[in-house]
């Protein structure tokens, strides 16, 4: 991977030199090593989602972390229901959450700009049930998911991974193909299911994708349109739709 990046930089520099009138040799792309294929996210099936959240809801009580069993099901529902990045959900501050307005502010997200996320009604109800336990246990904490071990500070990324793999492992699914699921894949699943629902409704994806892009905090609309072709077999199996109809929504990438 490192060699490929170096060759690409050299090639681009040579092209630039040729453009400004200096002669330079451009390395043919076929002489560069092939890159690894992009990571293929795991898109959770409805059966997998049901099993995972059953395990999350059944997480055992730990006397050394008295509300962790309540935090885990709420945390992962935020990833799936709102399409949040794991770090965004982990670091939510109470000052940015309004259950009355059903909104959540994600400050300075990946695109370096704040964004507002509307919370689904059912998830608002779950948060309302969780909130009294949170304030009783951590009255001074500024985080939605404070850690007892860290005195009310936010959990670390390792807590997210550990909690996810415990719940997923208890589901006992046999992965027949593809990569093992990760917490981030709830975000991919959110986007995929949202687009699938619009397609089933016959919505104009050209009009809808900008809304999804803003909701998810994507800096470029092509990052959102990517989900249309992420798992074409998922869409074709469930809807019989011709994915070629939406090919024009994906910007073409020139291959050198």
């Amino acid at each position: 991977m490192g060699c490929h990046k170096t060759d690409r930089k050299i090639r681009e520099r040579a092209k630039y030199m040729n453009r400004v009138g200096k002669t330079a040799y451009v390395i043919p792309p076929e002489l560069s090593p092939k890159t690894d294929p992009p990571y293929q996210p795991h898109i959770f099936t409805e059966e997998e989602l049901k099993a995972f959240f059953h395990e999350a809801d059944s997480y055992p009580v730990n006397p050394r972390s008295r509300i962790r069993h309540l935090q885990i099901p709420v945390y992962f529902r935020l990833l799936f229901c709102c399409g949040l990045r794991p770090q965004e959900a982990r670091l939510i501050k109470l000052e940015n959450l309004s259950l009355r307005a059903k909104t959540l502010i994600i400050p300075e997200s990946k695109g370096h700009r704040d964004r507002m996320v509307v919370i689904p009604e059912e998830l608002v109800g779950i948060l309302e049930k969780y909130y009294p336990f949170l304030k009783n246990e951590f009255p001074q904490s500024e985080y939605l998911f404070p850690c007892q071990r860290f005195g009310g500070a936010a959990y670390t990324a390792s807590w997210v991974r550990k909690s996810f793999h415990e719940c997923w492992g208890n589901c006992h699914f046999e992965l027949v193909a593809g990569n093992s699921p990760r917490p981030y894949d709830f975000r991919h699943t959110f986007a995929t299911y949202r687009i699938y629902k619009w397609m089933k409704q016959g919505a104009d994806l050209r009009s809808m994708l900008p809304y999804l892009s803003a909701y998810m905090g994507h800096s470029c609309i092509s990052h959102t349109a990517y989900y249309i072709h992420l798992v074409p077999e998922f869409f074709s199996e469930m809807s019989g739709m011709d994915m070629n109809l939406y090919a024009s929504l994906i910007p073409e990438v020139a291959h050198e």
Side-chain angles (χ1 to χ4, degrees):
M1 181 67 73
C3 292
H4 171 74
K5 289 182 178 180
T6 301
D7 286 351
R8 184 172 59 187
K9 290 179 180 178
I10 295 174
R11 189 183 305 119
E12 292 302 318
R13 181 172 179 83
K15 288 181 179 180
Y16 170 77
M17 293 177 66
N18 286 327
R19 286 197 298 269
V20 298
K22 297 181 179 180
T23 304
Y25 175 73
V26 179
I27 302 175
E30 59 269 18
L31 296 183
S32 299
K34 301 297 182 182
T35 59
D36 295 330
Y39 182 89
Q40 185 74 4
H42 179 90
I43 304 303
F44 295 96
T45 66
E46 292 184 4
E47 180 186 7
E48 289 172 339
L49 289 170
K50 183 178 179 180
F52 180 89
F53 285 113
H54 171 75
E55 293 300 327
D57 292 338
S58 306
Y59 202 88
V61 178
N62 186 332
R64 292 179 297 177
S65 185
R66 290 184 290 273
I67 65 169
R68 186 173 63 179
H69 65 291
L70 303 176
Q71 294 172 322
I72 287 174
V74 177
Y75 173 83
F76 287 111
R77 279 182 171 87
L78 273 167
L79 299 190
F80 172 63
C81 296
C82 297
L84 300 183
R85 300 178 178 94
Q87 177 172 311
E88 292 173 342
R90 181 171 58 83
L91 299 179
I92 290 174
K93 291 186 175 180
L94 296 177
E95 64 182 13
N96 293 325
L97 174 65
S98 174
L99 296 182
R100 177 175 296 182
K102 304 173 186 176
T103 56
L104 170 65
I105 301 297
I106 303 296
E108 298 182 8
S109 55
K110 195 173 181 180
H112 304 293
R113 55 189 175 188
D114 296 355
R115 78 179 193 274
M116 178 181 291
V117 173
V118 177
I119 306 172
E121 185 78 38
E122 185 177 353
L123 185 54
V124 170
I126 293 174
L127 284 164
E128 287 175 338
K129 293 179 180 178
Y130 165 69
Y131 199 81
F133 293 95
L134 167 65
K135 297 306 293 183
N136 181 66
E137 195 68 30
F138 297 96
Q140 304 300 322
S141 178
E142 59 180 329
Y143 292 99
L144 181 61
F145 300 110
C147 174
Q148 191 124 20
R149 179 183 173 189
F150 300 145
Y155 278 104
T156 64
S158 62
W159 171 80
V160 175
R161 293 190 295 269
K162 179 177 181 293
S163 301
F164 173 82
H165 288 299
E166 285 180 351
C167 293
W168 177 254
N170 289 335
C171 294
H172 301 295
F173 282 110
E174 182 177 351
L175 202 64
V176 295
N179 297 306
S180 298
R182 313 159 302 165
Y184 205 104
D185 291 333
F186 282 116
R187 176 173 163 88
H188 294 306
T189 301
F190 163 82
T192 304
Y193 274 60
R194 181 70 266 176
I195 292 174
Y196 166 70
K197 186 173 183 178
W198 281 335
M199 293 172 72
K200 287 284 286 184
Q201 294 171 343
D204 181 3
L205 292 187
R206 293 180 184 274
S207 300
M208 303 306 292
L209 281 179
Y211 292 102
L212 182 60
S213 183
Y215 185 89
M216 297 185 70
H218 285 151
S219 59
C220 180
I221 190 68
S222 62
H223 296 168
T224 313
Y226 148 84
Y227 288 102
I228 297 176
H229 285 217
L230 179 61
V231 279
E233 67 277 6
F234 171 83
F235 289 119
S236 61
E237 279 182 17
M238 300 184 70
S239 65
M241 294 177 179
D242 182 4
M243 297 306 300
N244 293 322
L245 296 176
Y246 302 95
S248 61
L249 290 173
I250 313 297
E252 290 188 8
V253 179
H255 295 283
E256 299 173 321

